[in-house]
Amino acid sequence: MKRIVLAFLFFGTAASLASTSDERAQQRAVFEQAWKQAGRGDHAALNQAAAQLPDYPLTPYLRFESLRQNIDAVPADELEGFLDRHRDWSFVDRLEQQWLARLKADDHQALLLRHAGKARDAASRCRVAEARLSSDDREGLESEVRALWLNARSQPDACNRVFDWWRRQGNPRPEIAWQRFGMAVEAGEIGLARYLRRYLAAPDRMLADGWLNIAQRAASGLDDASDWPDQARARELIAWGLHRLAGSDWQRAQLLMQRFDGRFSFTASEIGPVRRRIALYQAVDLDPDAIAAIDSLAAEQRDQQMLEWRLRAALANELWQEVLDSVDQMALAQQLRERWRYWRARALAELGRPEAGLVYATLASEADYYGFLAALNTGQPLALCSRELPADGEIQQRLLRDAEFERALELYRVGLDWHARWTWNQVARRLSGSELRQAARLAAGIGWHDRAIIALGQAGATNAYAWRFPMVERERVARESSQHGVDVHLVMGLMRAESAMQVNALSPAGARGLLQLMDPTARLVAQRHGIEYSGAADLNRPERNIALGVAHLGELHRRFDGDWTLVAAAYNAGISNAERWRRQRPDLARDIWLETLPFFETRDYIPRILAFATIYEWLLDRSPRVLAETLL
């Protein structure tokens, strides 16, 4: 009898869960259809769907979208009430800013004053200032308007009235005008700078013209500055020009600085940053004299960045004692980082010092690029050991009962990715380590791999490899890799580095999908290989993204003779940069070549891919050899 009752309870619970799941799937389908229709201008669909879904977690998003699309017709009290009820939701800030941007100071003075603290864009802030002006609330208003005026770019027309009032108060003062003039020049807003020239004091206008000349033609503009008077503002502008020039031509900047040294009485604070920048770019150029140039800087200028480039200049010129000295000059916390421990060991080994073995041995216990390299250098096994991540039903149920967490998962399921990430991040801030680990399991279960990876990193579970290195589209990657002659493990490592295995990943630059392809690149690869392609939206389809991405990698693999460091450099920084770096550094050992790349992103990107590929080799039961074949 007991077994019958238990069976009844089990099947009853299972049936209940299945029913709940089916109901949620139906609600999701209604939501997605309404959202799609709203994108085509069918606003009525939003309201109809909202009425059908009173208990669905995302129903307020339908209301948000309806309000957003009809914001000019929504009564103020209705909109205010909606914002107040959903103050902690991802859409509130966007909706509120859009609403404030529409309010006119003449008609909504009370509303603007009530929401003054939430106005962030310049137009809204200017309308609030105008409302304050109309209500005769002028305490601190002049400084507030000055802050709005003091901008590197032209401000919107909504600011014209308050700016006119501000100017009638005797503004801008010459120093404030000079400050904004400089901000415009720095931002490359030359037209605005020319307009602002009218507000400058007469004695400053000659220097202002010289500054504009330097900003547009640094070297020739500095040549013309030789006849300037030796006064503080002139020296500051010359130093500004030298600092800018050093980034593109440090040798010319160095020659001009030497010429100016005899003509102008620069203070250390005026010329010091120029000397530092010249030394920095001299080191980026891997010039051996950069070491002496860095050593001649004031102590406070020899910061971590300068010491790293001192080390790189020494590496490129095989000055191993200088490599060691560079690490020794770093702060202790930096010296303990894997990167600099590796280069300490490498320098000690090159110098024949016996302690190299001990440094390598301790570093080899780390499961990352530098730990793997240390192990390879000493013949030790790689420190690879995957950790299980057991399910905790109690914690998972508690998370799923959390309305905000449930909302984050549902937002991901319906494809509202930005809102999903925003909501997840809000939840993650208040979760404990054990809760983050279970949240990662739940996210991975619905294919939300990047949140799972991040959560496990935050929880310290970095060796939970099954969840941090998921086998997304493994079979497809293997087929395409075989067809185009590239190592499947390297492709998996690159895909993990590029998108954290998110099929719909979108970068700020517009790269899409698992292998983060740009539309123009995808279009050309599709033409060359006869792959069907109908536009950027195709890149969110794994089968199309992988076919195009691996074909592109195959092209790069052939172009760079199978050298994966160059393939990855080209994939990340462009073919022309990879070609240039190959020409400029043809004889450097591969680990040194990587460390001395001028782009910090690429310098970190390639080692990350190689480390990830090594982990995928191990997970897929192959003896790791990618790093050895690529770097040693």
mmCIF file of all heavy atoms in Angstrom, residues 66-85:
data_model
loop_
_atom_site.group_PDB
_atom_site.id
_atom_site.type_symbol
_atom_site.label_atom_id
_atom_site.label_comp_id
_atom_site.label_asym_id
_atom_site.label_seq_id
_atom_site.Cartn_x
_atom_site.Cartn_y
_atom_site.Cartn_z
ATOM 1 N N SER A 66 5.002 48.602 -24.886
ATOM 2 C CA SER A 66 3.834 49.376 -25.299
ATOM 3 C C SER A 66 3.997 50.844 -24.893
ATOM 4 O O SER A 66 3.731 51.752 -25.689
ATOM 5 C CB SER A 66 2.578 48.787 -24.666
ATOM 6 O OG SER A 66 1.444 49.575 -24.980
ATOM 7 N N LEU A 67 4.444 51.082 -23.663
ATOM 8 C CA LEU A 67 4.668 52.458 -23.194
ATOM 9 C C LEU A 67 5.777 53.131 -24.001
ATOM 10 O O LEU A 67 5.682 54.296 -24.367
ATOM 11 C CB LEU A 67 5.030 52.446 -21.712
ATOM 12 C CG LEU A 67 3.908 52.032 -20.739
ATOM 13 C CD1 LEU A 67 4.483 51.821 -19.343
ATOM 14 C CD2 LEU A 67 2.807 53.090 -20.711
ATOM 15 N N ARG A 68 6.836 52.377 -24.267
ATOM 16 C CA ARG A 68 7.981 52.946 -24.995
ATOM 17 C C ARG A 68 7.574 53.397 -26.384
ATOM 18 O O ARG A 68 7.980 54.463 -26.860
ATOM 19 C CB ARG A 68 9.104 51.909 -25.078
ATOM 20 C CG ARG A 68 10.425 52.451 -25.625
ATOM 21 C CD ARG A 68 11.414 51.331 -25.883
ATOM 22 N NE ARG A 68 11.015 50.502 -27.003
ATOM 23 C CZ ARG A 68 11.175 50.842 -28.286
ATOM 24 N NH1 ARG A 68 11.698 52.016 -28.612
ATOM 25 N NH2 ARG A 68 10.794 50.023 -29.246
ATOM 26 N N GLN A 69 6.758 52.576 -27.045
ATOM 27 C CA GLN A 69 6.394 52.887 -28.424
ATOM 28 C C GLN A 69 5.325 53.983 -28.509
ATOM 29 O O GLN A 69 5.159 54.585 -29.569
ATOM 30 C CB GLN A 69 5.891 51.621 -29.126
ATOM 31 C CG GLN A 69 6.979 50.582 -29.334
ATOM 32 C CD GLN A 69 6.547 49.454 -30.242
ATOM 33 O OE1 GLN A 69 5.507 49.526 -30.902
ATOM 34 N NE2 GLN A 69 7.347 48.405 -30.297
ATOM 35 N N ASN A 70 4.622 54.234 -27.405
ATOM 36 C CA ASN A 70 3.558 55.246 -27.421
ATOM 37 C C ASN A 70 3.791 56.311 -26.361
ATOM 38 O O ASN A 70 2.838 56.861 -25.796
ATOM 39 C CB ASN A 70 2.200 54.568 -27.184
ATOM 40 C CG ASN A 70 1.851 53.575 -28.261
ATOM 41 O OD1 ASN A 70 1.415 53.943 -29.340
ATOM 42 N ND2 ASN A 70 2.066 52.300 -27.966
ATOM 43 N N ILE A 71 5.035 56.605 -26.104
ATOM 44 C CA ILE A 71 5.375 57.390 -24.920
ATOM 45 C C ILE A 71 4.760 58.792 -24.938
ATOM 46 O O ILE A 71 4.436 59.355 -23.892
ATOM 47 C CB ILE A 71 6.910 57.450 -24.750
ATOM 48 C CG1 ILE A 71 7.251 57.790 -23.305
ATOM 49 C CG2 ILE A 71 7.560 58.395 -25.743
ATOM 50 C CD1 ILE A 71 8.663 57.433 -22.918
ATOM 51 N N ASP A 72 4.579 59.365 -26.106
ATOM 52 C CA ASP A 72 4.029 60.719 -26.179
ATOM 53 C C ASP A 72 2.550 60.772 -25.794
ATOM 54 O O ASP A 72 2.033 61.835 -25.427
ATOM 55 C CB ASP A 72 4.203 61.294 -27.582
ATOM 56 C CG ASP A 72 5.667 61.567 -27.901
ATOM 57 O OD1 ASP A 72 6.420 61.900 -26.956
ATOM 58 O OD2 ASP A 72 6.063 61.438 -29.070
ATOM 59 N N ALA A 73 1.871 59.616 -25.874
ATOM 60 C CA ALA A 73 0.427 59.597 -25.594
ATOM 61 C C ALA A 73 0.088 59.065 -24.207
ATOM 62 O O ALA A 73 -1.083 59.049 -23.824
ATOM 63 C CB ALA A 73 -0.271 58.732 -26.652
ATOM 64 N N VAL A 74 1.086 58.643 -23.464
ATOM 65 C CA VAL A 74 0.824 58.023 -22.153
ATOM 66 C C VAL A 74 0.672 59.107 -21.093
ATOM 67 O O VAL A 74 1.530 59.988 -20.970
ATOM 68 C CB VAL A 74 1.982 57.081 -21.756
ATOM 69 C CG1 VAL A 74 1.709 56.456 -20.388
ATOM 70 C CG2 VAL A 74 2.159 55.997 -22.811
ATOM 71 N N PRO A 75 -0.399 59.080 -20.299
ATOM 72 C CA PRO A 75 -0.543 60.062 -19.210
ATOM 73 C C PRO A 75 0.624 59.960 -18.229
ATOM 74 O O PRO A 75 1.109 58.867 -17.924
ATOM 75 C CB PRO A 75 -1.867 59.660 -18.544
ATOM 76 C CG PRO A 75 -2.596 58.886 -19.581
ATOM 77 C CD PRO A 75 -1.563 58.188 -20.397
ATOM 78 N N ALA A 76 1.054 61.112 -17.738
ATOM 79 C CA ALA A 76 2.231 61.168 -16.873
ATOM 80 C C ALA A 76 2.063 60.321 -15.626
ATOM 81 O O ALA A 76 2.999 59.604 -15.214
ATOM 82 C CB ALA A 76 2.534 62.611 -16.500
ATOM 83 N N ASP A 77 0.879 60.358 -14.984
ATOM 84 C CA ASP A 77 0.715 59.607 -13.745
ATOM 85 C C ASP A 77 0.779 58.103 -13.990
ATOM 86 O O ASP A 77 1.266 57.331 -13.157
ATOM 87 C CB ASP A 77 -0.580 59.988 -13.044
ATOM 88 C CG ASP A 77 -1.812 59.794 -13.923
ATOM 89 O OD1 ASP A 77 -1.648 59.578 -15.147
ATOM 90 O OD2 ASP A 77 -2.940 59.859 -13.389
ATOM 91 N N GLU A 78 0.299 57.659 -15.159
ATOM 92 C CA GLU A 78 0.363 56.237 -15.493
ATOM 93 C C GLU A 78 1.812 55.788 -15.663
ATOM 94 O O GLU A 78 2.221 54.739 -15.153
ATOM 95 C CB GLU A 78 -0.429 55.980 -16.785
ATOM 96 C CG GLU A 78 -0.447 54.518 -17.191
ATOM 97 C CD GLU A 78 -1.199 54.300 -18.505
ATOM 98 O OE1 GLU A 78 -1.965 55.197 -18.920
ATOM 99 O OE2 GLU A 78 -1.004 53.222 -19.104
ATOM 100 N N LEU A 79 2.598 56.600 -16.362
ATOM 101 C CA LEU A 79 4.000 56.258 -16.591
ATOM 102 C C LEU A 79 4.790 56.299 -15.281
ATOM 103 O O LEU A 79 5.590 55.404 -14.986
ATOM 104 C CB LEU A 79 4.616 57.211 -17.616
ATOM 105 C CG LEU A 79 5.968 56.811 -18.210
ATOM 106 C CD1 LEU A 79 5.962 55.374 -18.689
ATOM 107 C CD2 LEU A 79 6.335 57.736 -19.345
ATOM 108 N N GLU A 80 4.543 57.310 -14.479
ATOM 109 C CA GLU A 80 5.230 57.396 -13.184
ATOM 110 C C GLU A 80 4.912 56.196 -12.313
ATOM 111 O O GLU A 80 5.788 55.625 -11.660
ATOM 112 C CB GLU A 80 4.814 58.679 -12.453
ATOM 113 C CG GLU A 80 5.556 59.921 -12.899
ATOM 114 C CD GLU A 80 5.279 61.094 -11.976
ATOM 115 O OE1 GLU A 80 4.123 61.544 -11.937
ATOM 116 O OE2 GLU A 80 6.228 61.545 -11.302
ATOM 117 N N GLY A 81 3.669 55.781 -12.297
ATOM 118 C CA GLY A 81 3.273 54.630 -11.497
ATOM 119 C C GLY A 81 3.959 53.356 -11.961
ATOM 120 O O GLY A 81 4.417 52.547 -11.143
ATOM 121 N N PHE A 82 4.022 53.173 -13.281
ATOM 122 C CA PHE A 82 4.679 51.990 -13.827
ATOM 123 C C PHE A 82 6.161 51.972 -13.453
ATOM 124 O O PHE A 82 6.704 50.933 -13.045
ATOM 125 C CB PHE A 82 4.513 51.965 -15.346
ATOM 126 C CG PHE A 82 5.126 50.769 -16.005
ATOM 127 C CD1 PHE A 82 4.470 49.549 -16.009
ATOM 128 C CD2 PHE A 82 6.368 50.856 -16.623
ATOM 129 C CE1 PHE A 82 5.037 48.431 -16.616
ATOM 130 C CE2 PHE A 82 6.940 49.748 -17.226
ATOM 131 C CZ PHE A 82 6.269 48.532 -17.228
ATOM 132 N N LEU A 83 6.832 53.127 -13.589
ATOM 133 C CA LEU A 83 8.254 53.210 -13.232
ATOM 134 C C LEU A 83 8.472 52.904 -11.751
ATOM 135 O O LEU A 83 9.408 52.201 -11.383
ATOM 136 C CB LEU A 83 8.796 54.602 -13.580
ATOM 137 C CG LEU A 83 8.899 54.936 -15.075
ATOM 138 C CD1 LEU A 83 9.205 56.418 -15.263
ATOM 139 C CD2 LEU A 83 9.960 54.081 -15.753
ATOM 140 N N ASP A 84 7.610 53.431 -10.900
ATOM 141 C CA ASP A 84 7.754 53.201 -9.458
ATOM 142 C C ASP A 84 7.570 51.720 -9.104
ATOM 143 O O ASP A 84 8.280 51.189 -8.245
ATOM 144 C CB ASP A 84 6.752 54.047 -8.680
ATOM 145 C CG ASP A 84 7.126 55.525 -8.687
ATOM 146 O OD1 ASP A 84 8.304 55.833 -8.963
ATOM 147 O OD2 ASP A 84 6.233 56.362 -8.446
ATOM 148 N N ARG A 85 6.632 51.058 -9.774
ATOM 149 C CA ARG A 85 6.361 49.652 -9.458
ATOM 150 C C ARG A 85 7.481 48.722 -9.926
ATOM 151 O O ARG A 85 7.643 47.622 -9.397
ATOM 152 C CB ARG A 85 5.033 49.199 -10.092
ATOM 153 C CG ARG A 85 3.789 49.748 -9.408
ATOM 154 C CD ARG A 85 2.543 49.034 -9.897
ATOM 155 N NE ARG A 85 2.344 49.134 -11.339
ATOM 156 C CZ ARG A 85 1.751 50.158 -11.955
ATOM 157 N NH1 ARG A 85 1.326 51.204 -11.243
ATOM 158 N NH2 ARG A 85 1.598 50.154 -13.264
#
